[in-house]
Amino acid sequence: MLVWIIKPGDTSPEDSKSSIRDELTRSAALLRGAPALHYTGTIKVKEQGNARLDLVVDNPGDALGTLAMADGPALDYVAVDGKSFLRGKTEAWQSIGMDKKSKVLAEHPRLVAPGVFFGKDLATALAPPALAKTLLLEHTPDEKITVGDPVTVGDHTCTPLHADGMTICLGKRSQGGARFVDRVSFPGGTLVIDIKAMSRKAINEFSGDFQSKLTMTREAVNDQIDVTTQILRDYKGDCAPTACTFTARVTVTYLGSSTAPEASKAVQVNYAWVIDRDGTPVTVGPDCSGTVLIKPGQSTNMACTATGPSVPANGPNSGAYHGEIHTSDVALTQAEYKRLVRLAADHSKKVTALPDLPPPR
């Protein structure tokens, strides 16, 4: 356990209030231009305690890594364009308190809305420019920033600065003169992270891995979306001997705040009819499966015509048809996914163009 020792009476030139502010400004500027940063540490999961995190977040805010409770397997984490996604096996979801839903959660990657598991979107908060802005402590008066005794981090020491419940530990100086931020503890210990600069080789490996794992977002579902179906019409004796048309009403409901942007955004619903006649699967038309866009609070009626087996010459005039429509929402529409793929490629080019951080002195 680290013990922070505050020295309010220290007025040496190095730790004067103006010098502290200058140090923070230079350190923030150093991180702001980082192509990517590697974070390890802990984050508080609602009602479950601390989870271990191991993330790489690039300058535009794309992220890749893992989250795991102390006694559980890891969840894969991918983030792009302000959206975070988690994927894991049943045991991983159980470890963060989702016992009843764990099997369902394990079926697909999940879009994770801020506030569901964590207080804020991780990648958005830890993108180097966003973290740099946080470290400026723009709303904290100089007199409320205090300096603690140096603590050991790896093979060197860093100097902790305390302000409004946050601790920022400044480590080695770079060749440009700025001190690298080794560790940040957010108020209440909600997020405690060690920060490492990355080599160009590691950054390139991250970019390649990110492109390959972005497909996870295409399969993701949104737990704040509920899709219900109601069969409106089945054969009821009105079908022809070899054909029958079913109709269902599909309704989308948004379970989050009605003021959220997602509350009015069209949801892509995948659907597929399954119909049998006298227990034997029958052929359905091309319109009996596909995708449809439905806005929350609205419904769409969908029909499917099935063609049954030929009626025997001495058999009944019609058989007993049974039809079901299977539906599932996805977090991203096809258009949104394609846009994210293009955006990720543009971000990769931006990261490649950014210079490496200067090495320590």
Side-chain angles (χ1 to χ4, degrees):
M1 176 182 295
L2 297 176
V3 179
W4 306 112
I5 302 175
I6 301 174
K7 303 191 300 178
D10 191 342
T11 57
S12 66
E14 179 68 14
D15 292 328
S16 68
K17 298 305 180 186
S18 60
S19 295
I20 293 172
R21 182 65 72 178
D22 290 343
E23 290 280 18
L24 282 174
T25 300
R26 286 195 292 268
S27 295
L30 182 66
L31 292 191
R32 186 180 301 113
L37 294 171
H38 185 189
Y39 302 100
T40 55
T42 60
I43 184 170
K44 281 190 176 179
V45 178
K46 286 190 174 182
E47 303 178 358
Q48 296 300 317
N50 290 331
R52 306 185 312 274
L53 64 83
D54 188 337
L55 302 178
V56 172
V57 186
D58 67 12
N59 196 278
D62 297 336
L64 196 64
T66 59
L67 297 164
M69 301 303 292
D71 57 349
L75 290 160
D76 292 326
Y77 176 88
V78 172
V80 59
D81 195 33
K83 298 179 178 64
S84 289
F85 301 83
L86 287 174
R87 176 177 61 189
K89 296 181 179 179
T90 300
E91 295 78 11
W93 289 107
Q94 288 174 337
S95 70
I96 63 171
M98 304 301 290
D99 293 343
K100 294 181 180 180
K101 295 183 177 180
S102 59
K103 290 184 178 180
V104 174
L105 292 171
E107 291 176 357
H108 301 280
R110 326 299 292 194
L111 172 64
V112 182
V116 174
F117 292 114
F118 320 114
K120 57 181 69 178
D121 184 78
L122 277 179
T124 300
L126 296 181
L131 181 62
K133 183 175 178 59
T134 300
L135 300 184
L136 288 174
L137 301 176
E138 294 175 331
H139 302 295
T140 303
D142 289 352
E143 61 270 17
K144 289 192 175 181
I145 303 175
T146 57
V147 183
D149 283 339
V151 298
T152 300
V153 175
D155 61 353
H156 63 283
T157 61
C158 67
T159 303
L161 309 181
H162 310 281
D164 295 335
M166 176 178 283
T167 298
I168 303 167
C169 211
L170 303 183
K172 292 181 179 180
R173 291 193 183 278
S174 68
Q175 290 186 359
R179 297 179 69 175
F180 190 78
V181 179
D182 286 327
R183 177 177 294 146
V184 179
S185 177
F186 286 78
T190 54
L191 181 62
V192 180
I193 49 174
D194 287 342
I195 308 172
K196 290 185 179 180
M198 298 179 63
S199 67
R200 181 54 59 173
K201 178 182 178 182
I203 293 171
N204 291 339
E205 289 176 350
F206 160 78
S207 295
D209 289 343
F210 184 83
Q211 294 290 336
S212 66
K213 293 186 178 181
L214 186 61
T215 54
M216 164 177 154
T217 67
R218 187 176 190 177
E219 306 165 6
V221 298
N222 186 347
D223 288 331
Q224 292 187 300
I225 295 295
D226 183 44
V227 179
T228 57
T229 59
Q230 177 188 8
I231 299 294
L232 298 180
R233 182 184 175 213
D234 59 19
Y235 69 98
K236 295 187 184 301
D238 297 331
C239 284
T242 60
C244 187
T245 299
F246 285 78
T247 305
R249 177 167 295 161
V250 179
T251 304
V252 170
T253 303
Y254 182 70
L255 304 179
S257 170
S258 59
T259 61
E262 292 82 2
S264 58
K265 188 185 73 141
V267 175
Q268 179 175 313
V269 177
N270 299 336
Y271 67 92
W273 284 91
V274 177
I275 300 176
D276 67 75
R277 180 174 181 267
D278 295 331
T280 301
V282 297
T283 302
V284 297
D287 295 334
C288 293
S289 63
T291 64
V292 62
L293 296 178
I294 307 174
K295 285 191 174 183
Q298 297 183 2
S299 301
T300 296
N301 291 348
M302 289 183 287
C304 174
T305 298
T307 302
S310 300
V311 179
N314 299 320
N317 291 327
S318 64
Y321 283 86
H322 175 263
E324 294 180 351
I325 182 170
H326 298 167
T327 60
S328 64
D329 68 283
V330 291
L332 302 175
T333 66
Q334 292 178 357
E336 287 173 328
Y337 175 73
K338 290 179 180 179
R339 186 185 71 83
L340 286 188
V341 171
R342 293 192 299 268
L343 187 65
D346 291 342
H347 286 176
S348 180
K349 292 178 182 178
K350 177 181 178 181
V351 170
T352 299
L354 289 171
D356 293 334
L357 290 176
R361 289 179 178 175

